[in-house]
Every structure is written in structure tokens, then in C-alpha cells.
Amino acid sequence: MKTLIVSYLPGGSYSNTKQLFDHILGELKNTEVEHLNLLETSPDFFNNESIMAYYSRNYQGKELNQAQKDSLKKMDLFANQVSEADLVVMVYPMYNFGMPGIVKTWFDGVMQAGVAFEYGPNGPVGLFKNKKALVLFTSGGSYSEKKYSGKYPDWDTISLLSEIEFSFMGFSDVEVVSASTSDSGKKQQNIDLAKQKASEILKGWGV
Ligand SMILES: Cc1cc2nc3c(=O)[nH]c(=O)nc-3n(C[C@H](O)[C@H](O)[C@H](O)COP(=O)(O)O)c2cc1C
């Protein structure tokens, strides 16, 4: 079994979310682990050259020249890493009610037509079968308890988008675990609870 752990922890040793990263790494003893640190290997935004190369290759089946191939190299690396993994674990903080832009850009590289999904007679079909995803994040606010008025609990777009992206690619299981960090009195308790929940999910998956 192989696990790909994708992290974005710009806070370094001061990061709240790093506690979840360290914990989950310790739990992944019975699996081969590949770590993609997005701070070291950052995804590129599509530019004109790379989007045209992507259309040509992934939608029109055309051969690319070397420069075009190079423009897709990083996203191909990311897609390949996911393709080879049985479990994908993502760890990062919430920014502005969602995943940080760099994490979304990683998805934009991985979710390639003909690689992660294809179009069948009944619409798009995910091609990454028998894979599971576990997403761990911390946020200032709490999005798991309905203690805020209005629609506040719904403002966590990480859970929604993670479910959509991984399910679209064919993943069979997607779990999201979060911890609220703004209340300093409860921060450690919330993080410890998230660690426990993440461990239980891995156990349930036989990892
Ligand atoms: C740029 C930025 C945007 C943030 N946006 C939100 C947000 O929309 N909602 C929220 O609850 N917390 C938000 N936070 C708080 C962080 O998610 C929270 O402090 C988290 O625990 C930070 O994780 P880290 O210590 O691993 O960096 C934001 C923090 C930063 C730096």
C-alpha cells in the first residue's frame, strides 16, 4: 500500500496544522509514504503555453513538442503521484473559508482529462479507482458546531470542495477532519480531538 501526503504548512514550526501532519505521519507506519511538500515543489498556474499544450494532448490526442511537454511536467508529476497512491492525505490551514490557492492549483494539475476522469456516454467518469482521501485542516473558526448564527457553518468550502474534487476523480472514500484554533483555551483540546478522529478513520480503512 502507498500513501501520498500533500502538505502546505507555511507557518513551519509555528504551524498549528503541523501537529496534525506530525501525528498522521506517525500513524502511517504500515504503508509506503511519499511526501509532496508544496512549499518546496509548488504547482504552476496554467499559462497560455501550458493550457494550449493541455488541450492539444488531453482533449485532441496530439503529440507535443519538448517545450510543450516541459510546460506540463509538474502537473504530470502530481497526477502520477496520485495515480500511484492508494491513500492521499492532505494537510494545510484554512485561508479565507477555503483551501489555500496553492492547494487548489495542485488540484488543477492533478485533475486532467483522460488521466483523472474521462467523458463516457452518461457524462464524466472518475478514473482514479479504489483510492481514499483524508483531508486535515485547522481554521481559526469552528465549522463543525452549529453555534454561529446564520449560514456560518456552511462557510467551510474545504469540506465541500474536497468531497467534490476527489469524488469526481473516482475516489471511493473522502474524509475531512478539522480543528478550530482561535480559542487558545480550547486549541490543544481541539487539535488532539482531530488527531484522534484522523486515527480512527485510518483504523477503519485498515491503514
Ligand atoms: C491568510 C489567512 C486567512 C485565514 N482565513 C481564515 C478563514 O477564512 N476562516 C478561519 O476560520 N480561519 C482563517 N484563518 C486562520 C487559520 O486558518 C488558523 O489560524 C489556522 O490554525 C492556521 O494554521 P497554521 O498555524 O498551520 O498556519 C486564516 C489565516 C490566515 C493566515
Side-chain angles (χ1 to χ4, degrees):
M1 159 168 202
K2 191 167 177 184
T3 299
L4 172 66
I5 179 159
V6 181
S7 69
Y8 176 62
L9 302 167
S13 54
Y14 291 99
S15 163
N16 293 313
T17 326
K18 187 173 182 299
Q19 283 199 48
L20 300 180
F21 175 82
D22 291 340
H23 175 75
I24 216 69
L25 209 54
E27 292 286 72
L28 296 171
K29 295 235 161 57
N30 300 321
T31 148
E32 187 189 333
V33 177
E34 179 167 18
H35 178 203
L36 171 63
N37 180 347
L38 294 179
L39 284 169
E40 289 172 2
T41 311
S42 303
D44 299 323
F45 290 122
F46 275 117
N47 58 24
N48 181 248
E49 181 180 37
S50 59
I51 198 74
M52 297 320 286
Y54 174 63
Y55 289 146
S56 296
R57 185 188 67 179
N58 294 58
Y59 284 89
Q60 296 161 359
K62 289 186 185 158
E63 269 295 313
L64 301 183
N65 63 34
Q66 196 54 48
Q68 288 173 312
K69 282 181 191 166
D70 288 348
S71 75
L72 302 180
K73 214 169 173 178
K74 244 186 206 173
M75 52 189 265
D76 288 348
L77 163 75
F78 298 145
N80 198 41
Q81 286 176 322
V82 173
S83 167
E84 287 179 353
D86 304 288
L87 169 65
V88 176
V89 179
M90 304 199 74
V91 197
Y92 53 82
M94 172 186 275
Y95 285 170
N96 301 308
F97 309 103
M99 51 184 72
I102 194 168
V103 178
K104 176 60 169 62
T105 308
W106 174 84
F107 274 105
D108 294 346
V110 169
M111 297 180 69
Q112 298 186 33
V115 177
F117 69 93
E118 67 183 359
Y119 294 101
N122 301 317
V125 182
L127 296 177
F128 287 151
K129 299 288 184 203
N130 303 314
K131 296 184 193 296
K132 296 177 178 13
L134 173 61
V135 177
L136 307 174
F137 74 89
T138 69
S139 55
S142 169
Y143 300 86
S144 52
E145 298 163 36
K146 306 249 179 211
K147 64 180 179 179
Y148 293 94
S149 61
K151 288 185 164 182
Y152 195 72
D154 300 334
W155 288 17
D156 160 27
T157 67
I158 291 178
S159 300
L160 176 68
L161 193 54
S162 299
E163 175 76 38
I164 290 173
E165 306 279 52
F166 282 115
S167 300
F168 186 79
M169 291 191 281
F171 278 60
S172 54
D173 299 81
V174 185
E175 292 282 350
V176 182
V177 175
S178 63
S180 165
T181 59
S182 60
D183 180 345
S184 56
K186 279 197 174 166
K187 179 169 105 171
Q188 198 52 49
Q189 193 184 322
N190 293 342
I191 291 175
D192 289 345
L193 190 62
K195 288 182 192 172
Q196 196 186 318
K197 279 187 196 165
S199 295
E200 281 165 14
I201 289 165
L202 290 185
K203 206 172 161 199
W205 287 346
V207 180

